[in-house]
Amino acid sequence: MTDHDVVVATPPADDDGRLDQSVAEELVAKARADGVDLVGPGGLLGDLTKQILETGLEVEMDEHLGYAKHDAAGRDGGNSRNGTRSKTVITEVGPVDIDVPRDRDSSFEPATVKKRQRRLNGVDSMVISLTAKGLTTGEVQAHLAETYGTDVSRETISKITDRVLDDLADWQNRPLDRVFPVIFIDAIVVKIRDGQVANRPVYTAIGVTVDGKREILGLWIGTGGEGAKYWLQVLTEIKNRGVDDACIVVCDGLKGLPESIEATWPLAVVQTCVLHLIRNTFRLASRRDWDAMAKDLRPVYTAVNEDDAQVRLEEFHDKWGDRYPAIRSLWSNAWAEFVPFLDYSPEIRRVIYSTNAIESLNARFRRATRARGHFPNEQAAMNCLYMVVRSLDPTGAGQEGWMNRWKPAVHAFALTFEGRLVGGRRANDGTGTRW
């Protein structure tokens, strides 16, 4: 132990199990006075991590042998302590050297730091998170070295990500709930080299479960010319994984999708994304008119019924039709998939108004794929996107706002789609991705 080592025996904790604030402040003050960094080799957090890991290992050894260190019970000739062995463990605060206790018959199997384990689980999570943000293997290695003073080889980083990707096939084929009140389907474009670099659509489906959780149902990479046959294949795959019914499917002008939805789930209502329809309206108009047009469109999608909406839309066309004739065709073509929206209560309208639930996911996909530029093949693109899926809101905190909106909506769904939400849940087998 050096003069700069900070020693603390079992730090006091508050009622929530957290380190007492005064103790934390004292440790930080002492570290600064001694010129000790907080992180990195020889840092305060490294010393604390070392002591906590070694304490955990000693407690496990006590339980394994049945007596405490230096206890006379260890002199009965049976299995006993046999010194320690040094080991370097890569942690979130940098590499930490620890002394692992040994027993004479080598039967000790610690859980705190397992045999042959060289990284704490948090390091693997960090690698996955950085990869999900689009960093290459070399960039992840450089980031860990620069920030934490940790030397993790590119081979190790690849092994960490490959282990996660072993789950990809299981995730894509896992069982799903029997019924989803709402399914959102949308697409982004990624660049994939297939002879030459080309834009390829990646389709994502998100289902809202009966209990209000948003669950990513799967990812599919298309060729760009998909129609009813392609979508029937995708939806049949979802149905074969257990989805017998979907009340409302929200999408945006994907060729052949409405017909395939009807063939797969005859009772499902196909709903165009209202927000997308409004955005597409704006794309056909000058930016200087957007604010005024937004005000004039609001009476259309807040109308009490289809007749009222039709009147409001004609008023809109009377004002803007001569200047932007293409907008009339846009709404005419989308009308059949827009009007179901008007049949529902405000609680349901708030849920299906847009595909924001899926657009927030697509935004993360775009950040990750933009950093890569293009992918050498479909599998590389799928691997990157799956890393993003795995890194989504592991604590579930992001669900809170959505759940507050869902609570009043689920009652409206139960009344509107009477009898169809019964038995919609499945047992959570840990293979789903909900956020």
Side-chain angles (χ1 to χ4, degrees), residues 66-85:
Y67 63 87
K69 193 174 184 179
H70 306 306
D71 193 311
R75 303 170 188 168
D76 62 1
N79 191 21
S80 61
R81 283 176 167 78
N82 187 27
T84 62
R85 61 183 177 86

Side-chain angles (χ1 to χ4, degrees), residues 54-124:
E54 290 180 347
T55 299
L57 290 167
E58 288 292 348
V59 169
E60 286 192 79
M61 180 61 83
D62 291 349
E63 294 175 350
H64 174 66
L65 297 176
Y67 63 87
K69 193 174 184 179
H70 306 306
D71 193 311
R75 303 170 188 168
D76 62 1
N79 191 21
S80 61
R81 283 176 167 78
N82 187 27
T84 62
R85 61 183 177 86
S86 298
K87 180 176 183 177
T88 300
V89 181
I90 298 174
T91 75
E92 299 96 316
V93 298
V96 174
D97 296 324
I98 61 174
D99 293 324
V100 180
R102 301 187 299 180
D103 59 341
R104 291 194 179 279
D105 65 9
S106 300
S107 59
F108 180 45
E109 296 286 346
T112 302
V113 180
K114 296 180 175 64
K115 287 183 178 180
R116 294 176 292 279
Q117 182 180 359
R118 294 295 178 180
R119 303 180 310 276
L120 297 190
N121 292 336
V123 175
D124 289 16

